[in-house]
Amino acid sequence: MAMTAQVKAEVARIPVTKACCRKAEVSTTLRFSGGLHIVSGRIVIEAELDTAAAARRLRQEIAEVYGHESEIIVQQGAGVRKTTLYVVRIARGGELLARQTGLVDGGARPVRGLPPQVVSGPSCDAVAAWRGAFLARGSLTEPGRSSALEIGCPGPEAALAMVGAARRVGVSAKAREVRGGDRVVIRDGEAIGALLTRLGAHETLLAWEERRMRREVRATANRLANFDDANQRRSARAAVAAGARAQRALDILAEEVPDHLRLAGELRVQHREASLEELGQLHEPPLTKDAIAGRIRRLLAMADKRAHDLGIDDTEAGLNPDQYADG
């Protein structure tokens, strides 16, 4: 997940000065990475992040914007979980911070989607929400057939809120349930590029676009190579089939075939895998591709008519189904 780490590292360094954007980012980061716990009758907030830079950014924003102290607890990977987690924990003033950030409503009930002030805020708040959500639970896969920018969401309401936030900044995203979890997914390459631009991840965007272009060029080259190879195989089968028909035509007509048609037919029989242009060059005197093709067509037509009159198999009698289709 090198691209994911690169985006998070770059986004975590972006300075934000507008108060509304800082609040929207903190609220969304806590909503997507955090949990509300009751300890000794008090609300404690814990936000689990997978990069130290994101944890430091969240801790700093909480202190500067809301005035609350927090601590970072490092949990080393163990067992099934191989990655290190950085837990930002707010014990003192947790309930107040939960109200300030909109994690709980006036009745101290947890908010299921995003806080109302984020949902109804200006477009800059929508960008900040996506920045916070990506730092918390975002991923960006390498460009390719299944490339995607995704956000793991704490519930369907939060997923729909992120879809709406994306729409407010001109990006199309979809909410999906994947393996029992809710996710917001962007698969279109142009939309991914537009969102990375809005998030401020310009260095990552350049690297992602370069890899995307390289993959597209390679895929196009492979398609053209396969196309050319298939055309060559079809042409070779058609030439072999035409040689077989020419031989049958010469057998049917025997001495009745005109000399110029006989020569064209014999060239086709003797050089079964040659192209019409190559056959024309072998003719004495040389003929154009259309001229040699016309003589072979007349030879076959004459033989088929003769076979019909005699009640015998025509020039296609000896072909297998593949040759018949290509011939």
Side-chain angles (χ1 to χ4, degrees):
M1 300 298 288
M3 298 299 293
T4 298
Q6 186 172 346
V7 175
K8 291 187 177 183
E10 188 173 1
V11 169
R13 298 193 302 266
I14 295 173
V16 180
T17 56
K18 292 182 66 174
C20 65
C21 297
R22 299 176 76 181
K23 291 179 179 180
E25 181 181 325
V26 170
S27 296
T28 309
T29 303
L30 290 175
R31 180 73 181 93
F32 278 71
S33 66
L36 299 178
H37 307 283
I38 305 297
V39 178
S40 300
R42 296 184 306 166
I43 292 180
V44 175
I45 299 176
E46 291 185 347
E48 295 183 352
L49 300 162
D50 57 6
T51 68
R56 289 192 298 268
R57 180 184 178 90
L58 177 61
R59 186 186 185 195
Q60 180 180 351
E61 294 294 282
I62 290 173
E64 293 181 359
V65 176
Y66 295 102
H68 294 280
E69 294 183 357
S70 62
E71 60 177 333
I72 296 179
I73 303 170
V74 180
Q75 297 180 351
Q76 300 293 339
V80 177
R81 179 175 57 81
K82 303 298 183 182
T83 58
T84 300
L85 286 180
Y86 302 86
V87 181
V88 180
R89 190 171 191 267
I90 304 97
R92 296 180 57 184
E95 182 173 352
L96 176 57
L97 180 61
R99 293 181 183 277
Q100 289 173 321
T101 55
L103 295 180
V104 297
D105 60 18
R109 294 180 296 269
V111 172
R112 298 180 65 84
L114 284 180
Q117 62 266 31
V118 177
V119 174
S120 60
S123 61
C124 63
D125 284 3
V127 174
W130 265 92
R131 188 165 51 243
F134 194 92
L135 286 172
R137 291 292 181 269
S139 66
L140 174 63
T141 56
E142 295 277 346
R145 182 177 301 176
S146 59
S147 63
L149 189 152
E150 299 186 12
I151 303 289
C153 302
E157 296 86 357
L160 291 175
M162 292 306 299
V163 170
R167 188 183 305 115
R168 283 157 57 197
V169 297
V171 175
S172 176
K174 293 184 178 180
R176 299 181 181 223
E177 185 176 343
V178 181
R179 295 185 293 276
D182 294 285
R183 304 186 75 80
V184 175
V185 183
I186 301 175
R187 295 198 179 278
D188 179 71
E190 298 299 326
I192 291 175
L195 185 60
L196 289 176
T197 300
R198 298 302 297 269
L199 294 181
H202 303 295
E203 294 178 8
T204 306
L205 175 60
L206 290 176
W208 193 83
E209 288 288 2
E210 180 183 356
R211 297 183 192 185
R212 178 188 175 199
M213 186 177 300
R214 190 161 57 239
R215 283 179 177 270
E216 288 179 353
V217 169
R218 188 183 302 121
T220 300
N222 289 338
R223 284 196 300 270
L224 291 176
N226 292 337
F227 179 76
D228 290 343
D229 186 54
N231 277 345
Q232 290 174 359
R233 288 198 302 271
R234 282 194 293 269
S235 297
R237 287 199 300 268
V240 171
R245 292 189 66 191
Q247 181 62 66
R248 176 62 180 166
L250 294 174
D251 292 341
I252 293 172
L253 294 174
E255 300 301 324
E256 298 180 14
V257 58
D259 290 341
H260 68 293
L261 300 186
R262 180 188 299 279
L263 180 55
E266 289 175 346
L267 284 173
R268 180 75 283 176
V269 172
Q270 294 166 7
H271 305 279
R272 298 198 176 199
E273 295 187 3
S275 66
L276 288 171
E277 187 173 356
E278 291 169 338
L279 287 184
Q281 294 301 313
L282 292 171
H283 192 278
E284 291 293 341
L287 297 176
T288 65
K289 178 176 68 174
D290 292 337
I292 194 75
R295 293 188 180 187
I296 293 174
R297 281 198 301 270
R298 288 196 295 275
L299 171 68
L300 297 178
M302 182 181 296
D304 286 339
K305 183 177 183 304
R306 179 64 174 160
H308 181 268
D309 293 340
L310 296 176
I312 61 175
D313 291 336
D314 60 15
T315 59
E316 295 179 349
L319 302 181
N320 61 46
D322 288 340
Q323 289 177 321
Y324 185 84
D326 289 330

